Amino acid sequence: MSYSNAQELLSAIQPASGGTEIFDPATGELVGRVAQNSVADLDAAVSAARTAQPAWDALGHEERNRLLNLAADRIEANAEALAELLSREQGKPLNGPNARFEIGGCAAWLRAATAYEVEPEVVVDDGETYAAKHYRALGVVGAIGPWNWPMMISIWQLAPSLRMGNTVVMKPSEYTPLSVLALGHVLNEVLPADVLQVVAGGREVGEKLSGHPEINKIMFTGSTPTGKAIIRSSADTVKRLTLELGGNDAGIVMEDADPKAIAEDLFWGAFINTGQTCAALKRLYVPESIYTQVCQALTEVAAKMPMGVGLDENNVLGPLQNKAQYNIVADLVQGAVDSGATVLLGANPDSEAAGYFYPTTLVADIDPQNDLVTKEQFGPALPIVKVKNVEEAITHANSLETGLGASVWGSDREQALAVAARIQAGTVWINSHGTIDPRIPFGGAKQSGYGLEFGLDGLKALAQPQLIKG
C-alpha cells in the first residue's frame, strides 16, 4: 500500500505499546517508538534468513532484478512519507541534498544494482586448459548502518546483497531505527518473506551480529574504532567484510583556481547533510596567494544558506542528529578559537535554542595540527588552512591515518589530475567533492576501511568467486 504521510507509516512499524521513544533532533518532539529487539530476536532473524536464502538464490538474476525494481517502485510511491519521517528522525531538511534527495537515491541505487550482467568470466581457454570464474551467493549478509544517511546507506548494503542471491539481516543505528524499519517495511511489501529483516536493538545486538556464526559477510558503515571492533569479533568465523569507515577528507585548492567559481561547490562538498557525511570535505588547504579570496567567497556563500527545522521547506541545513555529535563539534571549534584561529562565520551557538543546532562555521588562520583539522568533526564546521604551495598541501593531506576521499580544485585539469594521483585516498574528485555515482566503485584507503561498493565491483564483493576448471 501507499502511505500518505509519516504518521501513517509509523503506525505500521511501531509496537502496539511500549518501546523506546525517538525524538526529533530539531525540536525535541516525540517522533515515535521502536521495539528493542534482543539477541534472541536476532538469532531468530538470522535463522529465518538462512532458511529463506536457497529459494531466493534459486530465483536467478532475472527474477531478483524484477523484484528489486518493483521494490524501487514502492519507494517512489511512498517517497514523501519516507522523506518526512527521515527529516523528523534524522533532522535533515526535506529540500536541498537532504531527505527527498536521500529517498531518490534509495530508488536509484536499488535500480542500479540490477543494471549489470554478472556472467562467468573465462580466465583461460588456450585449447588445452579451460577455467572460468563464477560468482556464487555467500549466504546471509549482516548489515550495520549509521545514523547520518540511514536509508540510503541501508540500500547500498542490501541492494547488491539481495541482487547476488544473499538474504540480509540489518541492524540500524540506535539513533535512527524508525527510518530503516520504515524502509524495510516498504520493501517487504514486494520481497519474499524473510529475505530482508531489520532488527533494531542496542550495542549487544550489533556485537552479536558481527560475530554470528551463521552470518557470512558483514557490511558496515561507521567509525573507525567500531570498524576495528567488528574486524576483531568477525575473526573467529573468518567473515568477509566491507567496511566504509571514518574519513577526514582533504580538499586542495590550486593557485589557478577561481575562488568565486568554486565557492558553492566547496560549500556543498563540506556542508552536505550539515557536514554529517563520511566523505564530506572536512579540511581545506588553500595557497596563500588566493587564501583571502577563497575565504571571502566561501563565507559569502555559507552566510546565505538557511538552517532550521527540516520540515520547513525553506531550510537546507538542519541540526546535528544527536547531542553527543553536537558536543564533539562544539568542543573542536572552541579549541580552535582558544588557539587563536579566526572565525569567519558561526561558532556562537544559541544555548537557549531548541534542538541540536550548531551554526554554519568557517575557521581561518588555523594551525594545521589543530584538532579541528586533524580530527573528524562530522558537523558544520570547516577549517581553512593556509599553505605556501601545493607541495605543502599534499604533505598535509596525506599526513593522517584516514583516506576515504579527497578533492583538487583548479582550472588546469592536467595539473589537478597530477596532484590527485599523489593523494592517499580511495576517491579523489576534481572540482567537486563527494559526488558519488552508483556506477562508480567507492571505498576507502588506509584506516578508512576496505572493500568496494557500487557498480559491478560492488556486486562481485557480495559473492563468493568460484573457479571451475575442466
Side-chain angles (χ1 to χ4, degrees):
M1 63 176 292
S2 295
Y3 299 91
S4 60
N5 56 54
Q7 203 57 45
E8 284 188 6
L9 191 50
L10 279 167
S11 67
I13 62 171
Q14 290 186 114
S17 62
T20 299
E21 294 181 328
I22 303 295
F23 296 94
D24 187 330
T27 65
E29 296 173 353
L30 179 68
V31 177
R33 294 172 289 103
V34 61
Q36 288 297 303
N37 297 124
S38 65
V39 168
D41 294 322
L42 174 69
D43 285 336
V46 173
S47 177
R50 181 156 292 281
T51 299
Q53 191 273 326
W56 174 247
D57 188 22
L59 290 178
H61 286 295
E62 183 175 349
E63 178 61 10
R64 290 197 299 273
N65 285 349
R66 185 185 73 83
L67 290 170
L68 291 175
N69 278 299
L70 284 177
D73 291 343
R74 299 306 304 145
I75 290 175
E76 290 169 343
N78 292 281
E80 196 62 16
L82 288 167
E84 181 187 339
L85 176 57
L86 176 61
S87 180
R88 291 175 60 196
E89 182 180 48
Q90 200 282 335
K92 64 184 66 183
L94 291 170
N95 291 325
N98 292 297
R100 289 176 177 134
F101 170 85
E102 182 166 348
I103 303 306
C106 287
W109 255 265
L110 196 53
R111 296 192 195 285
T114 73
Y116 295 89
E117 298 292 331
V118 186
E119 301 290 346
E121 300 169 9
V122 176
V123 179
V124 177
D125 185 9
D126 61 5
E128 296 182 0
T129 301
Y130 178 87
K133 184 193 296 184
H134 300 256
Y135 292 92
R136 311 299 190 195
L138 290 165
V140 183
V141 173
I144 304 174
W147 48 258
N148 59 333
W149 296 89
M151 291 189 185
M152 190 155 68
I153 290 178
S154 292
I155 290 290
W156 294 354
Q157 296 171 334
L158 70 88
S161 300
L162 294 175
R163 161 67 202 278
M164 296 307 291
N166 308 291
T167 52
V168 178
V169 177
M170 304 202 73
K171 193 273 181 192
S173 166
E174 295 167 67
Y175 289 114
T176 53
L178 296 173
S179 294
V180 181
L181 285 165
L183 177 67
H185 177 77
V186 168
L187 297 177
N188 280 327
E189 291 180 342
V190 170
L191 298 173
D194 299 330
V195 164
L196 170 65
Q197 299 188 63
V198 181
V199 182
R203 177 174 294 183
E204 70 282 358
V205 173
E207 291 174 350
K208 176 67 174 179
L209 182 61
S210 63
H212 202 290
E214 296 298 309
I215 292 289
N216 301 95
K217 173 161 183 164
I218 292 290
M219 298 190 76
F220 171 72
T221 296
S223 73
T224 297
T226 302
K228 290 178 180 179
I230 288 172
I231 293 169
R232 288 190 289 269
S233 64
S234 68
D236 286 345
T237 50
V238 197
K239 294 191 193 310
R240 277 59 181 154
L241 299 174
T242 294
L243 303 174
E244 196 256 90
L245 307 180
N248 192 351
D249 288 14
I252 295 177
V253 178
M254 307 285 282
E255 290 194 56
D256 66 351
D258 180 340
K260 288 188 178 295
I262 65 174
E264 186 162 347
D265 288 332
L266 279 173
F267 174 84
W268 284 118
F271 291 93
I272 185 172
N273 196 28
T274 315
Q276 299 167 107
T277 298
C278 292
L281 172 58
K282 297 189 175 79
R283 48 194 173 112
L284 183 63
Y285 299 99
V286 182
E288 55 189 6
S289 61
I290 59 169
Y291 186 79
T292 299
Q293 297 96 306
V294 169
C295 287
Q296 181 178 347
L298 192 49
T299 301
E300 290 174 357
V301 169
K304 298 175 182 177
M305 298 295 180
M307 175 183 287
V309 176
L311 297 182
D312 183 333
E313 298 276 357
N314 296 308
N315 293 323
V316 294
L317 300 171
L320 277 302
Q321 202 284 322
N322 55 79
K323 180 64 172 175
Q325 194 58 44
Y326 178 95
N327 289 341
I328 289 170
V329 175
D331 289 347
L332 287 172
V333 173
Q334 188 59 52
V337 172
D338 293 344
S339 75
T342 301
V343 174
L344 301 176
L345 184 71
N348 186 26
D350 181 357
S351 60
E352 302 300 320
Y356 304 130
F357 288 100
Y358 195 90
T360 305
T361 299
L362 299 172
V363 179
D365 305 319
I366 186 170
D367 188 286
Q369 301 308 314
N370 188 277
D371 283 352
L372 182 59
V373 180
T374 62
K375 295 183 178 180
E376 186 181 21
Q377 70 277 46
F378 214 70
L382 179 66
I384 309 171
V385 181
K386 184 187 298 184
V387 293
K388 292 183 176 64
N389 50 45
V390 70
E391 292 298 323
E392 184 182 352
I394 293 171
T395 298
H396 286 314
N398 290 337
S399 66
L400 303 184
E401 62 188 15
T402 53
L404 187 56
S407 54
V408 182
W409 305 76
S411 299
D412 188 320
R413 185 171 181 274
E414 293 305 313
Q415 287 187 8
L417 289 171
V419 171
R422 298 173 60 191
I423 299 176
Q424 298 164 1
T427 300
V428 183
W429 292 274
I430 307 297
N431 290 324
S432 68
H433 194 109
T435 52
I436 53 175
D437 185 312
R439 301 167 298 178
I440 301 173
F442 179 74
K446 299 196 283 189
Q447 292 194 30
S448 288
Y450 47 73
L452 289 173
E453 300 177 88
F454 310 163
L456 185 58
D457 287 302
L459 292 175
K460 291 178 179 179
L462 271 302
Q464 173 62 54
Q466 182 186 50
L467 275 296
I468 298 180
K469 178 178 177 292

